[in-house]
Amino acid sequence: MSKLNREVLYLQASGQRKRLLGEQHSSVATTLKILAGLYYYQGRYDQAKELLVEALDQRKWLLGEQHSSVPTSLKKLAGLYYYQGRYDQAEELLVEALGQRKQLLGEEHPSVVTSMNNLASLYDSQGRHDQAEPLYLQALEVFQRLLETYPED
């Protein structure tokens, strides 16, 4: 299936979901996120950003600021900013996502480790090794504790 056909199908799905479920439904936000991913891979970053921001806003409004899907949406938007070289904006979102995941899931959760690694990778890619290293080490410690808690059979 060509990228153009995918776009048409995603737009149709979005329109149908909006018609059937209403503008403010989590399924609509999911469709926006998927379409944003297509735009991202096509290099249509402004359109991708617009949809990712809309999906994030919808999730916050529908599910609340403290819902587990919000940090994931923050990470997606941060990834777009990172790719565009907008590191300050990416950092702000990754810090927010890490804080929310810690608050929602606790310090000892695999998603928190992933968020630590995401932020550390951003720092590392900018040569900010003094900020990256403590996060990498902390993530490694948590991951090792998780492995000890859930050993393989």
Side-chain angles (χ1 to χ4, degrees), residues 45-61:
Y45 303 122
D46 289 339
Q47 289 172 291
K49 177 192 170 249
E50 184 179 313
L51 293 177
L52 288 172
V53 168
E54 185 179 348
L56 174 61
D57 290 344
Q58 278 191 6
R59 287 203 163 116
K60 285 180 177 181
W61 186 80

Side-chain angles (χ1 to χ4, degrees), residues 18-142:
K18 285 178 182 179
R19 230 181 5 269
L20 293 171
L21 304 170
E23 293 277 334
Q24 301 298 322
H25 192 278
S26 62
S27 291
V28 173
T30 299
T31 305
L32 293 173
K33 184 184 73 159
I34 293 168
L35 183 57
L38 177 67
Y39 289 159
Y40 173 85
Y41 289 113
Q42 290 177 339
R44 296 162 64 183
Y45 303 122
D46 289 339
Q47 289 172 291
K49 177 192 170 249
E50 184 179 313
L51 293 177
L52 288 172
V53 168
E54 185 179 348
L56 174 61
D57 290 344
Q58 278 191 6
R59 287 203 163 116
K60 285 180 177 181
W61 186 80
L62 290 168
L63 305 170
E65 296 272 341
Q66 299 304 313
H67 190 273
S68 61
S69 68
V70 171
T72 302
S73 293
L74 290 168
K75 182 188 95 46
K76 293 272 187 206
L77 185 55
L80 175 66
Y81 287 153
Y82 173 82
Y83 190 77
Q84 293 179 303
R86 297 163 67 179
Y87 302 122
D88 290 342
Q89 291 169 296
E91 179 181 0
E92 183 180 320
L93 295 176
L94 290 175
V95 167
E96 184 179 349
L98 174 59
Q100 285 188 5
R101 282 195 167 144
K102 282 182 176 182
Q103 184 178 356
L104 290 169
L105 304 170
E107 300 276 336
E108 305 280 315
H109 192 277
S111 293
V112 172
V113 173
T114 300
S115 287
M116 285 181 201
N117 274 318
N118 291 338
L119 184 56
S121 293
L122 172 71
Y123 292 151
D124 206 21
S125 70
Q126 295 176 287
R128 295 164 62 185
H129 308 298
D130 57 325
Q131 291 174 285
E133 185 178 11
L135 280 171
Y136 280 138
L137 291 172
Q138 185 180 3
L140 179 60
E141 288 172 15
V142 172

